[in-house]
Amino acid sequence: MENNVIEYLQQMEKEFMAAARDSVKFVDGNKSAGTRIRKCMQNIKNLAQDVRKEVQNQKNSVVA
């Protein structure tokens, strides 16, 4: 079974870092950066849901 949890978390980290960079631009008045932040946050939300599903699937597939 392939473990995608770490990959999802790494993708979340990349999205978060992109949002952090754009937050500086947004504070300086760049409204387009705000749109990019919201997009990053939506991607993080989706990735978090994928992590939850993957962990649950792996937990349920363990044979005791």
Side-chain angles (χ1 to χ4, degrees), residues 34-58:
T35 302
R36 291 191 299 271
I37 292 169
R38 289 182 21 245
K39 181 179 178 185
C40 287
M41 297 310 294
Q42 184 64 41
N43 290 341
I44 290 170
K45 177 184 169 189
N46 292 337
L47 287 165
Q49 187 63 37
D50 291 341
V51 169
R52 289 177 48 86
K53 288 177 188 174
E54 183 71 21
V55 169
Q56 188 67 38
N57 288 340
Q58 287 184 26

Side-chain angles (χ1 to χ4, degrees), residues 14-27 29-44:
K14 288 178 187 177
E15 290 288 341
F16 184 80
M17 295 308 294
R21 287 188 299 272
D22 279 329
S23 68
V24 174
K25 296 175 186 175
F26 179 70
V27 169
N30 184 335
K31 292 184 181 186
S32 296
T35 302
R36 291 191 299 271
I37 292 169
R38 289 182 21 245
K39 181 179 178 185
C40 287
M41 297 310 294
Q42 184 64 41
N43 290 341
I44 290 170

